[in-house]
Amino acid sequence: MINRFVRQVEPQPEKIEGNYTFDDFATCANIVLLGDPGAGKTHLFTQCAKETGCRFIKTRDFLNIPAVDREETLFIDALDEKRSSYENDDVIDKIVQKLFACSPKKVRISCRSQDWLGDSDLSAFLPYFEQNGGFVVLHLQQLSKEEQIVILQNQGISDPNSFILEAEKHSVTEFLNNPLNLIMLAQTVKTGDWPKTRTELFQSATYSLLIEQNKEHTHRISGRYNSEELETVTGAICALRLLSDADGISLKSNDNRLGYPK
């Protein structure tokens, strides 16, 4: 599963025609790839780098190693880990300075959607992007049916189609759209014995979702709480969203989207 569907975020396209994959933007000089936790950003970067003979590198390592070959295409992964682990607000400035110092052939940078600060982060990268071929910001889309089947097969599920139908029957379709969530769901019911009730399944899956899977993010305060501690708070937020008919909850003080209270 090397290629994945993506949506262009910046610059905003004049027309949205059809579906685009990450590979469709291969000629772009600079790409920022955003995605939800567990969406498959790292997997996509490692596989693309391997297939194209390019270098995959974590953000921390990129900042620490000597300047790279100017002819290399760099897949710089996990901007959010560096920022989260060290609460480092100027990490992007350091990345931009390093990019100017080595000027690689092409750059691909990944970051969790929740940790990307939109125009603020983009403006920090712009001096480099504008002088080195332009940029595009992409968002990794949810899994297609074919991609779900591949993941389930890799998890040892002998009949992926039946598994997907059973998930839909148990009203946990949302867990099929994200690679990490799908893997956790597959592991939860791997024996073939689905929980007897939706409540039982939802409880098991919820506890799995509330566990921070990324070790780097557990270094920050928001990653130090266990499932039991988070359940009450997240449950209250979800209830508030349902009762208020809000589209979501925003953590950004300058978020002006309708339906996203701050």
Side-chain angles (χ1 to χ4, degrees):
M1 192 169 56
I2 297 174
N3 212 358
R4 288 284 301 278
F5 288 109
V6 295
R7 171 174 56 86
Q8 182 173 331
V9 179
E10 294 286 348
Q12 294 185 358
E14 295 182 2
K15 293 183 179 180
I16 301 176
E17 299 178 351
N19 296 318
Y20 293 94
T21 65
F22 185 72
D23 190 54
D24 289 330
F25 296 87
T27 59
C28 293
N30 303 290
I31 297 175
V32 175
L33 179 67
L34 308 178
D36 296 329
K41 301 179 296 295
T42 297
H43 179 75
L44 179 63
F45 267 23
T46 54
Q47 294 300 310
C48 286
K50 181 179 179 181
E51 288 295 315
T52 57
C54 300
R55 183 188 292 201
F56 170 89
I57 189 169
K58 291 286 187 178
T59 300
R60 175 193 296 174
D61 296 332
F62 172 69
L63 292 174
N64 292 333
I65 64 171
V68 299
D69 187 339
R70 291 177 181 270
E71 293 303 313
E72 281 194 296
T73 294
L74 291 183
F75 286 80
I76 306 174
D77 189 45
L79 168 63
D80 49 278
E81 289 181 5
K82 179 65 176 176
R83 171 179 278 166
S84 299
S85 297
Y86 296 90
E87 301 296 338
N88 195 338
D89 293 332
D90 64 349
V91 62
I92 291 184
D93 292 337
K94 294 179 179 178
I95 294 173
V96 172
Q97 292 166 12
K98 187 65 175 289
L99 287 172
F100 270 118
C102 61
S103 296
K105 184 178 180 180
K106 293 180 181 178
V107 175
R108 283 83 176 91
I109 301 173
S110 75
C111 183
R112 281 185 174 187
S113 303
Q114 295 84 342
D115 292 287
W116 176 253
L117 302 183
D119 291 341
S120 176
D121 282 346
L122 184 57
S123 64
F125 277 114
L126 276 180
Y128 177 80
F129 289 166
E130 290 178 343
Q131 293 184 40
N132 292 273
F135 74 97
V136 64
V137 179
L138 307 175
H139 192 281
L140 199 55
Q141 298 293 79
Q142 65 185 33
L143 294 170
S144 66
K145 177 73 173 293
E146 292 72 20
E147 291 166 340
Q148 293 170 4
I149 290 175
V150 171
I151 289 178
L152 290 171
Q153 289 174 333
N154 291 337
Q155 291 300 308
I157 304 298
S158 58
D159 190 349
N161 286 303
S162 295
F163 182 98
I164 292 173
L165 289 174
E166 197 68 26
E168 294 171 347
K169 177 181 177 182
H170 283 82
S171 300
V172 288
T173 308
E174 286 296 320
F175 287 85
L176 301 175
N177 298 328
N178 177 290
L180 181 59
N181 295 349
L182 180 55
I183 290 172
M184 289 192 295
L185 180 62
Q187 293 174 346
T188 300
V189 296
K190 200 165 188 177
T191 60
D193 297 325
W194 288 73
K196 296 179 181 179
T197 65
R198 292 182 181 179
T199 301
E200 185 180 332
L201 175 62
F202 184 76
Q203 188 72 35
S204 175
T206 297
Y207 276 121
S208 296
L209 286 174
L210 288 173
I211 297 174
E212 175 57 70
Q213 303 292 327
N214 188 305
K215 294 181 179 179
E216 294 294 335
H217 282 275
T218 59
H219 293 167
R220 65 189 299 191
I221 294 176
S222 61
R224 296 173 185 167
Y225 299 99
N226 58 37
S227 297
E228 290 78 8
E229 293 171 314
L230 291 171
E231 184 180 21
T232 301
V233 177
T234 54
I237 293 174
C238 288
L240 180 61
R241 179 186 170 189
L242 289 172
L243 291 171
S244 62
D245 196 27
D247 294 326
I249 306 295
S250 177
L251 299 179
K252 300 177 181 178
S253 60
N254 62 344
D255 195 331
N256 296 318
R257 291 178 297 171
L258 295 177
Y260 281 81
K262 298 179 279 292

